[in-house]
């Protein structure tokens, strides 16, 4: 069997962007032709975008998907292309991959295992295809097979498993092995999560080794639909060796990852190892394409140019910057506005906003960068941070000089537009209004929480006003730890259209800021890294700190993990963490967490959209559901109190 030059490609698609998605698919096909590729694997649902949500139910969605498929067929001459799309078939909707051979539709493979956990909701829209089943579909007057198919093209036997198909106990690869498949394709829409790349690499490598085949894994890239980030990883493996892998988190629309596979390598191994007679597949579809025979000299060195898997800090940085840049341009926002308090959260948002522009420019080059932001009139590139990012320090009489210095130093270092103003005069007006209505003076001894909240709420209108005037995206700076216990003022510091830090805990964020200070050469971050996190909403004589109001953030995050992600009772959580603090102190922290968690679900329902980073996400719309009204663990907390005494 001759060697074959193949490629996987990542695409940065947008749901329902028919013209844009089609153009990016055509660009990938054009790049493949220029690189003398014979077989190209594109991602799952690449034609429509993965995140169409309930728009998958619309007849126009499936009709436009078929129209796009028809439009790209003529461009595939001299290629075999696999591309994902939704398909209406016999009164049900399926997630399928179209096999296009040299300009004609050869067949449609339907996904068998649907992702329905966490952020995935595929069973709401799609029906799983039963294995060992096939039918026929009429497309443009031509009858083509659909279902559980294997293709044999010029002697090369090709099977598919579509994303979730590969992560199940009984997977198509097992059937493909018994049917002597040479090449398995995995068109995916595999969301980013910390550490997932290592697991994904292991899956691809070990599948190619265990099932004696070549394997191509393709994926989407970027912030496609608002919350989910795709890292765009593409992998090509053969018989247990990764042949090619791209750089993740690219800002490019298309990343082509070529490799040369030699099916005879695995076939020789099969001759030695087969202890059974391979089954003859009954669902084999024959193609007529002939693979070119001049690629042997292009075999890749499997040890060359394979990047190391990034540490968590680097993954967070790259994922957030790519997601922010995509959210900016896909929402047609004219920049970012941040209420920069000088604390860890707002400083992290400012760094990520500035570096999303910097990384995009470095990755794309000036022409492509300007094209991505074509709806903006950009001036000189060296002033882009000042043009597109505005930070505001909104002081009160309770603000300390350290936080103002932190905000100003960072804004200057990042080169963003920076404003300083105070809101004391606005607060005085609210105080007079309420005191007149109540007929008494407000005091910290009696009105503590309300006096804190009104400060945060007073800051919101001005920064919203500024964002509206600029047509910019207001970033809210709340983090996941605060969301867990509702340590945020609704319509105050939660104000904004996007919460970039909603998926990250405070302890990890503070650790990341120390990393950023060194890795990004930002000495200005030394100011915030030296500060104890504080809301600065009480008089300075109170020495208010976040951890004083709540508990140490590392402990809070451990309780959150036990309570919310491991579903432990308060007593079980206490027993698990016993020894981290005196029993009475730990019990009070555990009780505080459970009470605040149950009490503040309504806040989590109203938080701005955030990015999914791992399975600790608290977003009730995509991951972690909890009733708004509940008994608040009353009996469970009584059980804990009785145990501690």
């Amino acid at each position: 069997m001759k060697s074959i030059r193949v490629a996987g490609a990542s695409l940065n698609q947008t749901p329902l962007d028919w013209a844009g998605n089609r153009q990016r698919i055509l660009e990938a096909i054009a790049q493949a032709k220029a690189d003398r590729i014979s077989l190209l694997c594109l991602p799952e649902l690449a034609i429509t975008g993965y995140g169409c949500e309930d728009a998958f139910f619309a007849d126009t969605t499936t009709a436009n998907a078929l129209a796009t498929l028809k439009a790209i067929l003529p461009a595939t001459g001299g290629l075999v292309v696999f591309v994902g799309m939704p398909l209406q078939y016999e009164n049900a909707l399926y997630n399928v991959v179209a096999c296009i051979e040299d300009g004609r539709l050869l067949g449609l493979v339907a996904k068998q295992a649907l992702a329905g956990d966490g952020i995935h909701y595929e069973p709401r829209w799609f029906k799983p295809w039963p294995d060992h089943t096939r039918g026929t579909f009429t497309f443009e007057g031509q009858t083509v097979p659909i279902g559980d198919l294997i293709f044999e093209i010029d002697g090369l036997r090709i099977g598919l498993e579509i994303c979730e198909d590969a992560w199940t106990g009984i997977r198509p690869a097992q059937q493909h092995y018994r049917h002597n498949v040479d090449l398995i394709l995995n068109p995916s829409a595999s969301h980013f999560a910390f550490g997932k790349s290592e697991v994904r690499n292991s899956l691809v490598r070990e599948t190619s080794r265990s099932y004696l085949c070549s394997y191509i894994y393709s994926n989407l890239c970027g912030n496609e639909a608002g919350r989910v980030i795709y890292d765009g990883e593409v992998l090509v493996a053969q018989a247990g060796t990764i042949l090619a892998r791209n750089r993740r988190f690219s800002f490019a629309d298309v990343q082509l990852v070529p490799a040369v596979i030699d099916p005879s390598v695995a076939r020789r191994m099969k001759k030695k190892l087969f202890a059974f007679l391979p089954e003859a597949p009954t669902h084999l579809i024959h193609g007529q394409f002939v693979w070119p025979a001049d690629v042997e000299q292009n075999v890749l060195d499997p040890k060359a140019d394979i990047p190391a898997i990034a540490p968590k800090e680097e993954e967070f940085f790259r994922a957030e910057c790519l997601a922010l840049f995509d959210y900016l341009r896909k929402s047609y926002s004219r920049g970012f506005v941040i209420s920069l308090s000088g604390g860890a959260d707002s400083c992290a948002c400012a760094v990520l906003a500035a570096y999303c522009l910097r990384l995009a420019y470095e990755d794309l080059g000036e022409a492509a960068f300007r094209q991505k932001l074509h709806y903006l009139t950009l001036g000189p590139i060296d002033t882009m941070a000042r043009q597109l990012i505005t930070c505001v320090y909104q002081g009160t009489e309770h603000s300390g000089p350290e936080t103002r210095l932190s905000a100003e130093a960072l804004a200057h270092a990042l080169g963003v537009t920076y404003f300083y103003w105070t809101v004391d005069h606005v607060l005085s007006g609210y105080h007079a209004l309420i005191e007149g209505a109540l007929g008494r003076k407000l005091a910290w001894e009696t009105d503590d929480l309300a006096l804190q909240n009104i400060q945060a709420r007073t800051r919101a209108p001005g920064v919203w006003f500024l964002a509206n005037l600029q047509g910019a995206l207001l970033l809210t700076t709340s983090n996941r730890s605060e969301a867990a216990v509702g340590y945020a003022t609704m319509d105050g510091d939660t104000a904004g259209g996007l919460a970039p830090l909603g998926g990250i805990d405070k302890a990890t964020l503070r650790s990341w800021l120390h990393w950023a200070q060194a890795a990004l050469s930002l000495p200005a971050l030394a100011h915030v890294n030296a500060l104890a996190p504080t809301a600065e909403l009480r008089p300075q004589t109170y020495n208010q700190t976040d951890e004083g109001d709540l508990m140490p953030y590392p402990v809070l995050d451990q309780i959150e993990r036990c309570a919310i992600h491991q579903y432990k009772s308060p007593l079980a959580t206490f027993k698990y963490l016993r020894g981290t603090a005196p029993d009475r102190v730990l019990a009070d922290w555990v009780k505080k967490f459970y009470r605040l968690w149950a009490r503040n679900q309504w806040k989590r329902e109203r938080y701005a959209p955030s990015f999914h980073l791992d399975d600790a996400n608290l977003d009730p719309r995509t991951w972690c559901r909890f009733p708004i009204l509940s008994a608040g663990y009353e009996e469970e907390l009584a059980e804990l109190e009785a145990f501690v005494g």
Side-chain angles (χ1 to χ4, degrees):
M1 182 70 195
K2 67 187 75 172
S3 296
I4 302 169
R5 191 163 176 80
V6 299
S10 70
L11 299 176
N12 192 320
Q13 303 291 69
T14 301
L16 310 176
D17 180 12
W18 306 113
N21 290 349
R22 179 178 66 248
Q23 180 55 43
R24 287 179 284 273
I25 291 170
L26 291 173
E27 182 180 339
I29 291 171
Q31 288 187 23
K33 287 186 174 182
D35 206 6
R36 298 186 298 111
I37 300 299
S38 296
L39 182 146
L40 174 64
C41 180
L42 297 174
E44 177 183 17
L45 293 172
I47 285 179
T48 57
Y50 181 85
C52 294
E53 305 284 347
D54 282 1
F56 279 124
F57 291 134
D59 291 340
T60 53
T61 300
T62 49
N64 286 332
L66 286 171
T68 301
L69 177 63
K70 179 182 177 182
I72 66 177
L73 286 178
T76 63
L79 281 175
V80 174
V81 178
F82 291 82
V83 60
M85 59 183 286
L87 186 75
Q88 187 79 25
Y89 177 73
E90 293 189 350
N91 296 319
L93 190 63
Y94 294 95
N95 181 343
V96 308
V97 171
C99 173
I100 306 170
E101 178 208 48
D102 195 19
R104 72 183 183 105
L105 182 61
L106 188 60
L108 298 155
V109 177
K111 190 172 184 177
Q112 299 178 27
L114 301 180
D117 61 333
I119 63 174
H120 298 291
Y121 215 8
E122 290 178 18
R124 178 179 175 88
W125 308 300
F126 301 112
K127 183 177 179 180
W129 188 274
D131 61 358
H132 305 296
T133 305
R134 58 178 294 196
T136 58
F137 179 78
T138 301
F139 175 72
E140 296 294 307
Q142 173 192 1
T143 299
V144 297
I146 179 174
D148 183 2
L149 309 176
I150 291 176
F151 301 94
E152 186 167 271
I153 301 175
D154 193 22
L156 183 75
R157 196 164 284 185
I158 306 166
L160 281 84
E161 42 185 19
I162 306 169
C163 200
E164 186 71 9
D165 286 341
W167 300 91
T168 57
I170 300 175
R171 52 187 287 201
Q174 295 166 334
Q175 298 290 340
H176 297 333
Y177 175 68
R178 286 194 287 269
H179 293 147
N180 241 341
V181 164
D182 300 296
L183 172 63
I184 298 177
L185 307 180
N186 188 334
S188 286
S190 177
H191 68 272
F192 164 77
F194 291 129
K196 190 176 182 180
S197 175
E198 187 171 1
V199 177
R200 192 188 289 140
N201 274 257
S202 178
L203 172 78
V204 171
R205 182 179 60 251
E206 290 307 306
T207 299
S208 72
R209 182 192 63 80
S210 300
Y211 298 113
L212 299 176
C213 65
S214 299
Y215 199 98
I216 303 177
Y217 181 98
S218 61
N219 196 13
L220 293 172
C221 188
N223 180 1
E224 189 216 35
R227 288 184 171 89
V228 180
I229 305 169
Y230 298 100
D231 60 13
E233 187 164 40
V234 178
L235 300 160
V236 183
Q238 178 176 274
T241 299
I242 298 290
L243 298 180
R245 177 169 62 202
N246 62 336
R247 179 175 55 84
R248 294 186 296 149
F249 306 114
S250 170
F251 289 82
D253 285 337
V254 178
Q255 249 195 324
L256 193 76
V257 182
V260 173
I261 62 171
D262 182 358
S264 63
V265 172
R267 289 184 178 185
R268 285 193 296 268
M269 297 172 70
K270 287 178 181 178
K271 289 179 181 179
K272 296 178 181 179
L273 297 177
F274 263 142
F276 61 90
L277 184 65
E279 300 174 11
T282 59
H283 48 303
L284 192 65
I285 308 302
H286 292 278
Q288 301 172 357
F289 189 84
V290 177
W291 309 115
D294 61 344
V295 297
E296 285 78 6
Q297 70 274 20
N298 296 314
V299 174
L300 302 179
D301 176 3
K303 297 181 181 179
D305 300 322
I306 295 181
I309 295 173
K312 184 175 182 178
E313 294 85 357
E314 180 78 15
E315 283 197 316
F316 172 72
F317 177 57
R318 297 285 175 179
E320 286 276 331
C321 287
L322 176 58
L324 277 171
F325 184 74
D326 271 356
Y327 201 106
L328 174 74
R329 66 185 185 86
K330 292 183 179 182
S331 66
Y332 291 91
S333 297
R334 307 188 70 81
F336 298 112
V337 173
I338 303 162
S339 185
L340 188 62
S341 70
D345 301 332
S346 62
C347 286
C349 284
V351 171
L352 293 169
Y355 273 83
C356 87
L357 301 175
R358 185 175 303 186
L359 293 186
Y361 177 77
E362 292 173 354
D363 193 12
L364 297 169
E366 183 168 347
F369 177 84
R370 289 184 180 274
Q371 177 57 35
K372 288 269 191 178
L373 299 176
H374 61 88
Y375 60 95
L376 298 175
T377 303
L378 294 178
I381 288 296
D382 59 358
T383 64
M384 63 181 175
R386 188 170 295 111
Q387 297 173 61
L388 297 177
I389 302 172
T390 299
C391 293
V392 186
Y393 184 90
Q394 303 187 83
T396 71
E397 62 176 323
H398 307 311
S399 302
E402 296 86 358
T403 55
R404 182 177 176 183
L405 174 62
S406 173
E408 289 181 349
L410 183 61
H412 177 74
L414 296 176
V416 302
T417 296
Y418 174 77
F419 296 121
Y420 165 80
W421 63 56
T422 64
V423 294
D424 284 326
H425 60 293
V426 183
L427 277 169
S428 297
Y430 279 120
H431 285 193
L433 181 71
I434 297 301
E435 288 174 346
L438 298 180
R440 68 173 178 86
K441 286 288 186 181
L442 299 171
W444 286 100
E445 293 74 18
T446 56
D447 309 302
D448 179 273
L449 185 59
L451 287 173
Q452 289 190 67
N453 286 340
I454 190 59
Q455 292 174 71
R457 292 194 176 105
T458 300
R459 291 184 171 113
V463 74
W464 262 126
F465 193 6
L466 186 61
N468 289 166
L469 287 172
Q470 297 181 353
L473 179 64
L474 178 61
L475 299 181
T476 180
T477 60
S478 295
N479 61 68
R480 196 187 80 217
S481 300
E482 294 173 351
V485 292
Y487 192 67
T489 302
M490 189 52 61
D491 303 318
D493 48 330
T494 63
L498 178 67
L501 307 182
I504 195 77
D505 63 88
K506 188 62 168 266
T508 299
L509 186 67
R510 293 178 68 185
S511 175
W512 179 80
L513 283 167
H514 285 279
W515 174 89
Q517 180 182 339
L520 305 180
S521 299
L522 275 175
L525 285 176
H527 298 287
V528 69
N529 284 332
L531 295 174
T534 174
E536 288 193 317
L537 296 176
R538 291 193 182 103
Q540 293 188 30
T541 55
Y542 280 65
N543 295 316
Q544 182 183 23
T545 66
D546 294 353
E547 292 185 320
D549 285 349
L550 297 170
M551 64 193 76
Y553 276 117
V555 175
L556 189 157
D557 296 330
Q558 288 184 66
I559 296 174
E560 177 202 311
R561 172 65 67 175
C562 290
I564 309 309
H565 308 290
Q566 297 176 3
Y567 305 105
K568 293 181 184 292
S569 69
L571 180 56
T573 296
F574 172 82
K575 290 179 177 179
Y576 182 81
L577 297 177
R578 202 172 192 182
T580 58
D583 279 5
R584 181 71 264 168
V585 173
L586 178 60
D588 287 343
W589 286 342
V590 171
K591 289 165 65 177
K592 176 181 282 190
F593 178 91
Y594 278 87
R595 285 181 176 135
L596 290 175
W597 167 267
R599 186 183 303 164
N600 287 288
Q601 179 65 20
W602 70 277
K603 287 187 179 181
R604 290 187 291 275
E605 298 280 353
R606 290 189 57 203
Y607 280 147
S610 60
F611 301 139
H612 178 85
L613 298 172
D614 60 15
D615 64 358
N617 194 339
L618 301 182
D619 185 350
R621 286 155 290 189
T622 60
W623 190 266
C624 184
R625 295 175 182 268
F626 191 83
I628 295 174
L629 299 177
S630 72
Y633 301 99
E634 182 177 343
E635 292 188 17
E636 294 89 341
L637 293 174
E639 180 187 31
L640 170 59
E641 186 60 32
F643 180 83
V644 176

